[in-house]
């Protein structure tokens, strides 16, 4: 396995510093108890220069996640927006991936201890999250033996570090079994989402997606696709669905900041539709990636210039 190439600079607690100097103590609260909230955000090269996709919306969700977990935020939204742009520029990135994170640092040692909040924003190059060629060819997925969290246990609407222990179990099981990604059921036994992605199923030319009540993270990419679809006359339905619909739908894809729009060509060894990315999946890819090459008008101000 090749050694990762890290970027030169990172933003931490109000200043740009060399990557290797962005450290925290091994007794930080977040390391022991998962008390962190974070975001994943992509920037793209566009005809009008590099732009960050829905930066303000992502960082607003970061503050919402922090509110749910009672993590005080020492910087305001405008500061974190400016820092996100700065760290991209300092690393010479037009197209890149941003990772803002806020976490309880070194302080007390109990679960409810009051600890200072540390905040960092990293930026690096990221290709296709699930592997080269998957956006064009699709992946083979499986239904995981691990379920998503039950209601009123862990708030799945928060993008918190501890929540992703669930996603790790789902993703690592899928890789171990030779699949590209895992799909989880909710505690109800109905469909939830992927290890770190939302799901869309296609039936008779309409998009069907699981609701927020299905233990999903209400994804920003998910919302963007629903908006683009409706703007272009494509029906979108949010509803509970059973597992077997994965095998019976005409098309299936995952979406998220990292995964973008990744087609799923089979589930549990059963082909989805024709066993390859279908026409509506490809249409949604055109609409989504068209935001960045100028084919799709940015009606909602989703592209925020790096400057």
């Amino acid at each position: 396995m090749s050694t990762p190439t890290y970027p030169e600079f990172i933003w931490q607690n109000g200043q740009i510093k060399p990557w290797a100097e962005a450290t925290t103590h091994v007794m930080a609260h977040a390391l022991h108890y998962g008390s962190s909230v974070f975001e994943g955000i992509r920037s793209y090269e566009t005809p009008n220069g590099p732009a960050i996709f829905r930066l303000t919306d992502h960082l607003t969700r970061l503050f919402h996640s922090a509110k749910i977990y009672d993590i005080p935020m020492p910087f305001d939204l405008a500061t974190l927006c400016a820092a996100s742009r700065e760290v991209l520029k300092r690393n010479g990135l037009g197209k890149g991936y941003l990772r803002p994170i806020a976490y309880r640092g070194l302080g007390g040692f109990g679960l409810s201890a009051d600890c200072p909040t540390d905040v960092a924003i990293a930026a690096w190059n990221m290709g296709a999250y699930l592997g080269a060629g998957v956006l064009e060819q699709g992946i083979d997925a499986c239904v995981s033996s691990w379920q998503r969290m039950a209601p009123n246990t862990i708030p799945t609407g928060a993008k918190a570090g501890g929540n992703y222990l669930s996603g790790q179990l789902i993703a690592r099981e899928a890789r171990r079994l030779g699949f590209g990604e895992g799909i989880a059921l909710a505690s109800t036994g109905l469909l939830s989402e992927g290890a770190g992605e939302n799901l869309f199923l296609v039936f008779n030319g309409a998009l069907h997606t699981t609701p927020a009540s299905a233990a999903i993270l209400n994804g920003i990419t998910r919302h963007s696709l629903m908006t683009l679809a409706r703007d272009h006359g494509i029906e979108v339905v949010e509803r509970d669905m059973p597992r077997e619909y994965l095998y019976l739908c005409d098309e299936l894809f995952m979406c998220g900041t990292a995964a973008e729009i990744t087609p799923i060509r089979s589930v549990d060894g059963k082909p989805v539709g024709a066993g390859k990315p279908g026409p509506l999946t490809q249409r949604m890819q055109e609409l989504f990636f068209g935001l960045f090459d100028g084919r799709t008008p940015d009606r909602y101000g989703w592209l925020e210039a790096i400057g």
Side-chain angles (χ1 to χ4, degrees), residues 10-13 22 62 75 80 99-103 118-122:
I10 189 169
W11 185 93
Q12 185 184 36
N13 292 332
L62 180 74
F75 302 96
L80 296 188
R99 171 57 55 84
I101 183 169
Y103 59 96
D118 290 325
V119 183
I121 304 176

Side-chain angles (χ1 to χ4, degrees), residues 81-101:
C81 284
S84 298
R85 292 180 167 91
E86 184 180 6
V87 74
L88 283 168
K89 289 189 286 188
R90 287 294 296 272
N91 284 298
L93 295 171
K95 182 177 181 180
Y97 180 87
L98 285 162
R99 171 57 55 84
I101 183 169

